[in-house]
Amino acid sequence: MSTDSWKGHVNGILYGIQFDPTLDDKVVARVADGVLGGSYPGDRVETLDALTQALRYPGPLNDQVEAPHSEESIREFLGRLSAALAARA
């Protein structure tokens, strides 16, 4: 998956969480439900691939969507989201 491909998935997720003050388990569950329900582009497998690529990327993940969360908290959130989606296989 090219950077452009996974970046679009991640930006869609970041857009969906930008107004959440904390990235807690409720937000993880809401986004996972949204992925499975078709609220985000791509299916579960495609989103898992995008998250894997994003978490390997050494650069910033929140450079296009204004989110009030630190890079560290976004990476941690995306890791928990990835685990939640993998568990729903």
Side-chain angles (χ1 to χ4, degrees):
M1 181 175 279
S2 71
T3 302
D4 291 338
S5 295
W6 68 254
K7 191 73 161 170
H9 286 279
V10 170
N11 284 344
I13 291 167
L14 294 179
Y15 182 79
I17 65 168
Q18 67 182 332
F19 299 113
D20 290 298
T22 59
L23 300 177
D24 58 17
D25 290 339
K26 288 182 183 179
V27 178
V28 170
R30 186 189 77 221
V31 175
D33 289 344
V35 169
L36 296 174
S39 297
Y40 292 90
D43 61 15
R44 186 187 67 79
V45 172
E46 191 174 359
T47 301
L48 276 170
D49 185 40
L51 292 172
T52 298
Q53 296 301 318
L55 291 169
R56 289 180 183 159
Y57 181 67
L61 299 178
N62 62 342
D63 61 337
Q64 295 179 350
V65 175
E66 299 241 358
H69 313 292
S70 69
E71 181 72 19
E72 181 181 323
S73 66
I74 287 173
R75 285 182 175 275
E76 191 269 335
F77 168 78
L78 294 177
R80 288 189 297 130
L81 176 60
S82 181
L85 289 172
R88 294 186 184 196

